[in-house]
């Protein structure tokens, strides 16, 4: 935290305006640029730093490399009462998944539940951005995706056929804040490994394994090993079925077909996602549901703690704290990222991010 | 395996007939008794020993204690195109969840996807029994439940407000066997702890923790500690949201309201479950989906292995092997369980399980 205090704080509005101007500079239509920028800034405000403005230079590189279509015809390919398959036409993932989430919400209003899959999409930022969209409609949101780089082998294997395939679930409550689970199926996300390398720190055992099966703790040697799934074979199984639900079901890339978008600025990724909206009122009285959630959340928060544990957290607590702080004080941006964004502004001939 | 060879093998048919006669003896209607017996025997055939005939004495005890209703009016309470809420009327969980799964399959035929929740149900055996029901209809199945005893505290806590809430996902393939993930959200299921205690073995570190936060490895001291979730706070988050989806959403028991059905033969449990059926043909051509699944499965199976790993497994491989063996050679029943079943037969005045 001491480190964060020294960081420059940028307001969400300024961040959003800067991101939008960058996308406009590479020919993204104004409305789309604004939509993407709003979602990316929201990621930073929510504390998902690895998926916000941090990704901007990479997205711009991929747009310049023609890997991403800036004028996509995002459309429903197939639909029934409770499902749709969205064709993203290789547009920015944020646009595709906002479209998909809105479709799921609309269908769940009448069908009770709706499952919308997407293909020919791209990296869309943090899973919780989309899982939380149904909340405002008194719905539960569930999001899954095929990750955008394979860093996980099957359990017992060496070939990296799987990604950190994330899942997010957002459940509204009454007076209590919503429960928002957003997790990779690996012990650590790959971004965390990169952060450790940048800081010159070692990783704890359990994050990665080398190709002989021994713990890998030096993040500078990350490319000699692979991430470990949560709970061993269980996390492998979860990553696999999430990949089937978000990838195979939608005829999106999965397994050997996944492109490492960190090391490729020219190839289409055919990224697959799934979003599910569950209309709570279809199942029971909304007030009763919410008071039941409040009771459960309070029971957990007030439950007895292990020695040296200061408080019991609910999934999403970190997001709520980050949001309250950043909406008031701005988003902390590390020096190195500020420098990269200044350079990007120069390249794109747009105004620098104002401090 | 050497141990298993010494065990008595009982054919699935004989097992099923014995289970059905036991339920009939406690006033379960013949058709219902047959349905429950078929599912319980299937659990044993699939290798889910902890959830098959092993549970019979307990179920009979709970029926005798009036904790379970033997003449339930299992019915749809609410429904829309893509959802239903099933009221189990406190019937055997197997009956409730077979009804719910059939409802989900029926709705998914036209709506593309269907989500059916159940409340006032009971323990229904292994999650995979229901997740696999949609497979025969070229659908993906997804099942979640609130477990029937709380052995898991919130992360950092001591109060056991959560169960091992399981999730199962079954995905059909073409020539390859279906992928069937069936997992508790704890590192070990509580049944495994009991087995270790019976065998006089110690548990590995990581299964359980004591109330000071130290590893608990003596299974005889299990009641002095609690199970650990997979991936630390991530598994806690998963157990929690599965509980919300299978419990809170259906106004079924969750958190403090969960009854420990191992130590209570008289209370209604209001167990909650959820089953989702996903009609693959709504999303894409079925043949293409299946050939894509076959390719993925073969890529994984044939991928490079870590030193000393003999083969790469897919979730469900164990089930397929167990089923092939047990359909041919019968279900291995340990001596202690055979003795318990003989005693049950005596109590109920029915014929013993024939060897």
């Amino acid at each position: 935290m001491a480190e964060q205090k020294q960081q420059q704080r940028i307001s969400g509005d300024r961040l959003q305006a800067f991101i939008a101007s960058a996308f406009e500079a590479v020919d993204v239509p104004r409305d789309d640029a604004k939509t993407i920028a709003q979602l990316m800034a929201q990621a930073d405000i929510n504390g998902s730093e690895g998926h916000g403005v941090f990704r901007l230079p990479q997205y711009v590189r991929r747009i310049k490399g023609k890997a991403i279509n800036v004028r996509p015809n995002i459309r429903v390919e197939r639909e029934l009462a409770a499902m749709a398959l969205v064709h993203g036409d290789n547009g920015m993932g944020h646009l595709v998944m906002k479209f998909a989430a809105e479709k799921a919400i609309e269908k769940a209003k009448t069908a009770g539940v709706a499952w919308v899959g997407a293909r020919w999409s791209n990296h869309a930022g943090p899973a919780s951005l989309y899982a939380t969209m149904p909340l405002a409609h008194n719905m539960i949101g569930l999001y899954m995706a095929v990750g955008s780089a394979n860093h996980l082998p099957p359990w017992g294997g060496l070939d990296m056929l799987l990604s950190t395939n994330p899942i997010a679930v957002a459940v509204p409550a009454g007076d209590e804040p919503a429960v928002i689970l957003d997790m990779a199926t690996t012990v650590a996300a790959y971004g965390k490994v990169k952060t450790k390398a940048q800081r010159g720190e070692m990783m704890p055992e359990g994050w990665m394994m080398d190709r002989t099966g021994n713990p890998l703790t030096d993040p500078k040697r990350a490319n000699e090993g692979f991430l470990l799934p949560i709970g061993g074979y269980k996390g492998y199984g979860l990553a696999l079925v999430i990949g089937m639900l978000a990838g195979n079901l939608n005829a999106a890339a999965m397994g050997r077909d996944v492109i490492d978008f960190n090391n490729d600025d020219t190839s289409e990724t055919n990224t697959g996602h799934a979003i599910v909206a569950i209309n709570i009122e279809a199942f029971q009285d909304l007030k009763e549901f919410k008071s039941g959630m409040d009771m459960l959340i309070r029971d957990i928060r007030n439950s007895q703690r292990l020695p040296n544990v200061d408080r019991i957290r609910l999934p999403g607590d970190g997001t709520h704290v980050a949001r309250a702080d950043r909406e008031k004080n701005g988003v902390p941006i590390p020096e190195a990222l500020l420098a990269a964004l200044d350079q990007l502004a120069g390249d794109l001939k747009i105004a620098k991010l104002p401090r």
Side-chain angles (χ1 to χ4, degrees), chain A residues 295-306:
Chain A
M295 187 182 84
L296 175 63
I297 291 167
R298 288 168 190 161
D299 280 354
I300 289 174
R301 221 184 275 294
N302 299 326
S303 66
Q304 217 187 325
R305 300 188 298 273
L306 273 165

Side-chain angles (χ1 to χ4, degrees), chain A residues 80-288:
Chain A
L80 290 170
M83 63 71 63
L85 177 66
V86 169
H87 194 304
D89 198 21
N90 197 32
M92 283 288 295
H94 305 68
L95 298 174
V96 180
M97 285 317 295
K98 183 165 183 276
F99 180 92
E102 285 168 358
K103 183 61 66 182
I105 291 163
E106 180 194 316
K107 283 179 175 284
K109 282 179 187 165
T110 49
V113 173
W115 182 301
V116 176
R119 61 178 187 147
W120 293 107
S121 180
N122 280 288
H123 187 263
S128 55
L129 273 186
Y130 309 99
T132 53
M133 285 184 178
L135 291 178
H137 304 269
N138 290 316
M139 294 181 185
I140 295 171
L142 198 157
Y143 170 93
M144 290 174 278
V146 181
S148 297
N150 282 353
H151 292 295
L152 179 69
W155 187 244
L158 289 165
D159 292 342
M160 292 194 276
L161 287 164
L162 296 166
S163 183
T164 58
N165 299 346
I167 182 168
V169 181
V171 187
D175 297 327
E176 296 292 331
V179 169
I180 306 167
L181 179 73
D182 181 349
M183 55 171 266
T185 39
T186 47
V187 176
Y190 207 71
K192 279 196 174 180
V193 176
K194 288 184 182 170
T195 306
K196 284 282 185 193
Q198 279 167 2
R199 293 185 182 161
E201 294 172 6
M202 298 297 271
M203 302 182 287
E205 281 193 19
W207 281 23
M208 294 193 78
M209 191 183 265
D210 71 18
R211 295 176 63 84
T212 61
N214 289 309
L216 179 63
T217 54
D218 181 356
K220 295 196 165 53
R221 289 178 51 219
N223 62 356
E224 297 169 34
F226 40 82
L227 295 177
L228 283 167
I230 56 167
Y233 67 94
K234 291 188 178 187
Y236 151 54
L238 272 178
L240 181 64
V241 298
I242 290 171
M244 290 170 176
L245 291 168
N248 293 75
L249 180 63
N250 304 326
M254 174 60 190
R256 68 160 88 152
D257 296 329
V258 170
I259 302 283
D260 181 350
F261 87 138
N262 294 305
N263 294 309
D264 182 324
D265 292 338
T266 56
S267 305
E268 296 184 348
T269 59
N270 187 12
T271 299
H273 323 248
I275 175 99
V276 185
I278 303 166
N279 188 347
I280 294 161
E281 286 192 283
F283 288 82
Q284 65 163 298
D285 179 80
L286 187 62
K287 271 195 185 169
E288 282 177 29

Side-chain angles (χ1 to χ4, degrees), chain A residues 323-334:
Chain A
R323 190 185 296 162
D325 168 54
R326 289 159 189 213
E327 282 179 348
K328 191 176 161 207
N329 304 313
V331 174
I333 309 275

